[in-house]
Every structure is written in C-alpha cells, then in structure tokens.
Amino acid sequence: MSKRNDRSRELKEFMQEPDDGLIICRCEEVTKGEIRKAVHEGMFTLTEIRRFLRSGMGLCQGQTCGNLVKRIVAKELGVSPLELEPAPSRAPMRPIEMKVLGNERREE
C-alpha cells in the first residue's frame, strides 16, 4: 500500500491556519481550509476531494485550481505532489434545449 493511501495512519491534528479563508477554487468557491479539513476527515485522493467539495468541477474544470489543490493535499499528507494521482478531466458540458436537437435534418 502506498504512503498516500494508507488510511490507517494518523495525521496531525487539524489546526486552523491564518490563510484558511483563501479561495482556491474560484468557480466553486472552495477555500484552502475546506480542502485541508477534507484531508483530515479521510479524503486522501484528488478524486475524493473533487467529489466532496466540487473543486475543479466548475467552468475551468480545474485549469486554475488543480495544481493548488494538489499541493495543499500533498502538504497535508506529507508526500510529494508527484505521488498523487491526477483527478480525471472531463470536457465541460452545457445543457442543450431539445428544440435544437429536434431541428437537425437529414439531407436527402
């Protein structure tokens, strides 16, 4: 089992830091303190953090905050950011009205 996913180990007690109110993910308004707290509550992978806090799931899809979140998680776990698996990226999706899809015509 890798050090980053060893959930049996104890992390240091969560202590507030002066910059915990700093917004890391602007799209979803996720703060540094929320990310740190999520790690201390047992979320050790970027995918778990993303699903729980929605960091990296906004309009930019993590292009702005992805590396910042990775560094924060790595620091809290005491590992190198290179050891963390990247969170999967997906193309941004937007709703399409049914009338747009219904207007497609086949050429005869």
Side-chain angles (χ1 to χ4, degrees):
M1 179 178 290
S2 68
K3 182 179 176 182
R4 68 176 180 261
N5 287 331
D6 182 9
R7 296 175 192 276
S8 65
R9 67 191 171 103
E10 292 289 325
L11 296 177
K12 297 177 194 171
E13 184 179 341
F14 178 75
M15 301 290 283
Q16 286 281 349
E17 292 183 356
D19 61 348
D20 275 349
L22 184 68
I23 293 181
I24 300 298
C25 177
R26 291 182 278 171
C27 298
E28 297 294 328
E29 297 182 358
V30 178
T31 65
K32 179 182 177 187
E34 290 173 319
I35 296 166
R36 292 181 58 243
K37 186 130 177 95
V39 172
H40 286 270
E41 289 176 357
M43 289 163 238
F44 291 0
T45 66
L46 297 177
T47 302
E48 291 171 332
I49 299 283
R50 182 178 233 183
R51 288 179 180 164
F52 183 67
L53 295 175
R54 294 192 47 82
S55 60
M57 293 181 82
L59 188 60
C60 80
Q61 292 293 290
Q63 297 298 313
T64 306
C65 66
N67 287 332
L68 294 171
V69 172
K70 190 175 204 175
R71 287 194 315 220
I72 293 167
V73 172
K75 182 181 175 193
E76 293 301 310
L77 293 176
V79 299
S80 166
L82 298 174
E83 291 183 47
L84 296 177
E85 296 175 14
S89 297
R90 294 182 180 86
M93 304 299 266
R94 296 203 184 349
I96 298 175
E97 294 180 1
M98 290 302 291
K99 67 181 179 182
V100 172
L101 296 175
N103 286 334
E104 292 183 2
R105 296 185 183 167
R106 294 184 195 176
E107 292 184 29
E108 296 180 19

